[in-house]
């Protein structure tokens, strides 16, 4: 699995983005959530191995031991960077998939209207405000408390940071610091996003783990309702990160969507 660093030039400044590239075939841009790139890496490998898919998984600057320039502080700018990445790679017919804050980034990418994209998949995405269904304040929770909200089966998937090597704990702390920056002043939401989603023209799938208590299923339904003609898919026996808990289930849903909206068919 080759990992490359791409130098991007944005209006705000220069940005290096590390990207893992797997497989061959229909292109996917897979965007990780606040837990870091390791939360999507196994799923990206599964997708590339089991389907004719080329899967690119960038590391959001500041995560995974990478550097974040001081001017890069918001999701919208990250979205611009990833669209430029697709431009530089010359990719077309790209399905963009994002989980949690990665789903928020994917939503902002959709709003940019790039013709390189054939569809977007939002997996338990953050970013909108839904009265009565707030996103859990994950920054105030212990790892055990967060696991109970995030997983259908926390006993099987929870990670105890105290059992990790010091270097791994340092990366987790840096990931958390980067997430706090990107999550913005309203903490994991943009009050303008829900209304702006009405301008999305790309096909969209909103896939949601039924057991998610970080962003509950009604939050997910509100996300889908805000996007014209978006499809909502409730995923049983899984929580905030279906790509970790039930990867085969998510793989089937994602591939069927991507294949049905592909523009470059063989």
């Amino acid at each position: 699995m080759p990992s490359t660093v791409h130098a991007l030039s944005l209006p705000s400044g220069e940005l290096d983005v590390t990207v893992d590239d797997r497989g061959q075939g229909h292109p996917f841009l897979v965007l990780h959530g606040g837990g870091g790139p390791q939360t999507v890496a196994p799923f990206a490998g599964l997708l590339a191995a089991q389907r004719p898919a080329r899967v690119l998984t960038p590391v959001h600057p500041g995560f995974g031991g990478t550097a974040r320039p001081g001017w890069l502080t918001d999701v919208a700018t990250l979205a611009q960077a990833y669209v430029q990445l697709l431009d530089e790679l010359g990719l077309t017919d790209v399905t963009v998939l994002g989980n949690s804050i990665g789903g928020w980034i994917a939503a902002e990418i959709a709003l940019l209207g790039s013709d390189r994209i054939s569809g977007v998949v939002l997996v338990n995405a953050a970013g909108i405000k839904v009265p009565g269904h707030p996103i859990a304040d994950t920054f105030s929770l212990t790892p055990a408390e967060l696991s109970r909200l995030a997983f259908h089966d926390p006993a099987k998937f929870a990670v105890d940071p105290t059992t990790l090597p010091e270097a791994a704990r340092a990366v987790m702390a840096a990931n958390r610091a980067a997430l706090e920056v990107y999550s913005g002043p309203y903490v994991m939401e943009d009050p303008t996003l829900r209304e702006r989603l009405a301008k999305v023209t790309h096909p969209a799938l909103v896939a949601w783990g039924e057991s998610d208590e970080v962003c509950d299923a009604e939050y997910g339904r509100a996300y889908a309702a805000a996007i014209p003609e978006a499809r909502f898919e409730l995923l049983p026996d899984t929580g905030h990160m279906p790509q970790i808990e039930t990867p085969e289930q998510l793989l089937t849903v994602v591939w069927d969507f991507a294949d049905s909206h592909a523009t470059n068919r063989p």
Side-chain angles (χ1 to χ4, degrees):
M1 177 189 64
S3 180
T4 56
V5 177
H6 297 266
L8 305 177
S9 295
L10 275 71
S12 302
E14 304 298 310
L15 179 66
D16 289 338
V17 176
T18 300
V19 181
D20 290 337
D21 194 341
R22 304 167 173 85
Q24 295 181 334
H26 179 87
F28 287 82
L29 181 70
V30 176
L31 305 174
H32 68 78
Q38 73 276 9
T39 62
V40 297
F43 179 77
L46 182 73
L47 177 56
Q50 295 198 4
R51 298 291 190 276
R54 180 182 178 186
V55 188
L56 293 96
T57 51
V59 180
H60 310 325
F63 284 84
T66 62
R68 179 188 61 82
W71 54 263
L72 180 56
T73 60
D74 62 273
V75 165
T77 306
L78 264 181
Q80 294 168 13
Y82 291 143
V83 169
Q84 185 178 125
L85 175 67
L86 299 182
D87 289 342
E88 296 215 355
L89 292 172
L91 294 175
T92 57
D93 199 23
V94 179
T95 299
V96 179
L97 182 154
N99 171 240
S100 194
I101 196 171
W104 180 2
I105 300 167
E108 291 284 4
I109 288 174
L111 282 164
L112 293 173
S114 171
D115 59 8
R116 296 189 179 278
I117 294 166
S118 58
V120 293
V121 183
L122 311 183
V123 182
N124 295 76
I128 65 171
K129 182 177 179 62
V130 181
H133 298 273
I135 298 175
D137 180 9
T138 59
F139 296 114
S140 69
L141 302 175
T142 66
E145 289 169 337
L146 179 56
S147 292
R148 284 194 291 271
L149 296 181
F151 291 109
H152 176 77
D153 186 357
K156 184 176 180 180
F157 293 98
V159 175
D160 181 356
T162 64
T163 65
L164 299 176
E166 184 177 347
R169 293 199 301 273
V171 170
M172 287 182 68
N175 288 351
R176 180 186 175 91
L179 180 63
E180 287 193 76
V181 171
Y182 289 130
S183 68
Y186 299 98
V187 188
M188 297 302 293
E189 68 180 37
D190 176 346
T192 73
L193 178 59
R194 189 175 179 185
E195 182 177 354
R196 289 189 291 115
L197 290 173
K199 298 178 182 178
V200 171
T201 58
H202 294 300
L205 168 67
V206 178
W208 221 264
E210 185 176 23
S211 301
D212 188 4
E213 294 184 52
V214 176
C215 313
D216 67 20
E218 289 308 309
Y219 183 98
R221 289 187 175 92
Y223 227 124
I227 302 171
E229 299 184 28
R231 181 163 66 88
F232 180 76
E233 183 87 22
L234 192 64
L235 307 176
D237 303 322
T238 195
H240 189 62
M241 291 177 281
Q243 75 276 10
I244 291 177
E245 278 200 278
T246 56
E248 294 280 359
Q249 176 180 216
L250 182 63
L251 176 67
T252 298
V253 169
V254 167
W255 180 259
D256 288 350
F257 170 80
D259 187 51
S260 66
H261 293 287
T263 55
N264 297 339
R265 293 182 178 276

